[in-house]
Amino acid sequence: MSNFLRSAACAAALFVASSAHAAPDVVASIKPLHSLVAAVMQGIAEPGLIVTGSASPHEYSLRPSDAATLQKADLIFWIGPDFEHFLVKPLETLAPTAGAVALERAAGIHLLAPRKGGTFEPDADGDHDDEGPVDGHLFLDPENAKAMVDAIEMRLAAADPENAARYHANAAALRIRLDQLIAGVAAELAPVADRSFIVFHDAYHYFEERFGVRAAGSITVEPDVTPGAQRLAAIRAKVQELGATCVFAEPQFHSRLIDTVVDGTAARTGILDPEGTALEPGADLYATLIQGLADNLRDCLASEG
């Protein structure tokens, strides 16, 4: 190797090492947020992830490795205390000096309150009251994802000004992809917008509001609590009353409950994965998650009897 090439290679290695050293240690709570953060950080560093594999934030217990991850973090992105209650105390005790960014408070986020009951009464419109609880599945509205990208970009650029231009470029490209995703999913779901369906738990309010579809109810109010016979009977009656086209399970919860609800009805069954539990984490997960919800809804709702 010539002295010139050797010098150039050394300079490149030093640049990469310098960039890696300059980047903050960043952690995201759940896969959809991790995906957005990873996309903004692409080419700079890879963020850590707390809730991995098929685990759900609704019933998650922090592991020792998670505690170590939080202790060394400079920035931690999460939805907020209502959705990831398991993180509230660890953030105070394990990461008191880290910048914990609750994205439910980001500028431009549209918030909804949890709907009441499993069969969604007509007056339960879910508008958020600033004094009330928040439905934490706000990431299932890609417009909210764009607002989160803005907040992620701003915090990363402030923490790591050496790489600010790269964060800005990545975020701009991601917002374009999210706009394309919104347009594509809206067109895909428009033909089935009038079909009624039942979900396992009420995770999809934001998705429904964005894309003009509407769940008629959920099998359970709390996904980690098995519903009783009375609730299952009420949901089965709702399915029959509405002639609901589909009843959707989720990968990590009880499929036998879905079988109980559809027994004796004409409803079909499908699977929706609102938190990407079955997906590999990474920058592409968010688009795959939203597109997967749209595809599975369309496939079941558009199917003939």
Side-chain angles (χ1 to χ4, degrees):
M1 180 184 292
S2 70
N3 288 337
F4 174 79
L5 291 176
R6 188 176 292 108
S7 297
C10 288
L14 286 171
F15 175 78
V16 171
S18 173
S19 296
H21 177 73
D25 195 311
V26 180
V27 176
S29 58
I30 59 173
K31 286 181 178 180
L33 296 192
H34 176 269
S35 178
L36 298 175
V37 175
V40 177
M41 296 185 71
Q42 208 155 30
I44 300 169
E46 181 71 23
L49 173 63
I50 298 295
V51 183
T52 59
S54 60
S56 165
H58 298 291
E59 51 186 11
Y60 194 73
S61 296
L62 215 64
R63 304 166 300 174
S65 59
D66 299 325
T69 296
L70 290 175
Q71 284 178 318
K72 64 189 182 76
D74 299 307
L75 278 176
I76 301 165
F77 292 101
W78 64 318
I79 295 294
D82 287 325
F83 190 68
E84 296 129 329
H85 187 70
F86 74 92
L87 270 179
V88 174
K89 288 187 177 178
L91 287 177
E92 295 174 355
T93 58
L94 299 174
T97 62
V101 184
L103 289 169
E104 70 179 23
R105 302 188 186 116
I109 291 286
H110 174 59
L111 294 177
L112 297 171
R115 289 181 287 201
K116 301 183 186 303
T119 53
F120 306 158
E121 296 305 319
D123 60 346
D125 57 15
D127 289 339
H128 175 61
D129 179 341
D130 287 341
E131 300 302 319
V134 170
D135 180 345
H137 299 89
L138 56 96
F139 53 87
L140 291 183
D141 179 353
E143 286 289 349
N144 276 347
K146 287 168 60 180
M148 288 190 282
V149 168
D150 292 345
I152 292 164
E153 172 194 3
M154 180 181 68
R155 290 302 296 262
L156 287 172
D160 181 17
E162 289 182 30
N163 287 311
R166 185 63 180 268
Y167 295 132
H168 295 326
N170 285 347
L174 180 53
R175 282 188 286 268
I176 291 171
R177 294 198 298 274
L178 290 170
D179 281 335
Q180 293 169 340
L181 179 67
I182 292 167
V185 169
E188 179 178 4
L189 292 179
V192 296
D194 61 339
R195 311 287 177 90
S196 63
F197 59 96
I198 302 290
V199 295
F200 184 80
H201 86 287
D202 189 19
Y204 310 94
H205 198 179
Y206 292 94
F207 186 91
E208 296 166 41
E209 290 283 318
R210 178 56 51 199
F211 297 113
V213 294
R214 178 69 67 176
S218 66
I219 290 175
T220 181
V221 177
E222 297 293 337
D224 52 345
V225 177
T226 301
Q230 185 175 1
R231 177 168 295 281
L232 292 177
I235 294 295
R236 187 188 300 111
K238 188 86 168 180
V239 171
Q240 293 172 322
E241 172 195 343
L242 296 174
T245 304
C246 294
V247 179
F248 289 98
E250 292 179 17
Q252 72 274 41
F253 296 119
H254 313 292
S255 61
R256 63 180 175 80
L257 297 175
I258 306 299
D259 297 335
T260 300
V261 167
V262 301
D263 185 41
T265 77
R268 295 181 291 278
T269 61
I271 294 179
L272 297 176
D273 185 5
E275 287 140 19
T277 59
L279 301 177
E280 286 297 313
D284 295 329
L285 177 142
Y286 185 81
T288 303
L289 168 65
I290 298 299
Q291 189 63 59
L293 293 177
D295 291 347
N296 289 346
L297 276 166
R298 178 208 60 204
D299 289 348
C300 190
L301 294 175
S303 296
E304 296 295 333

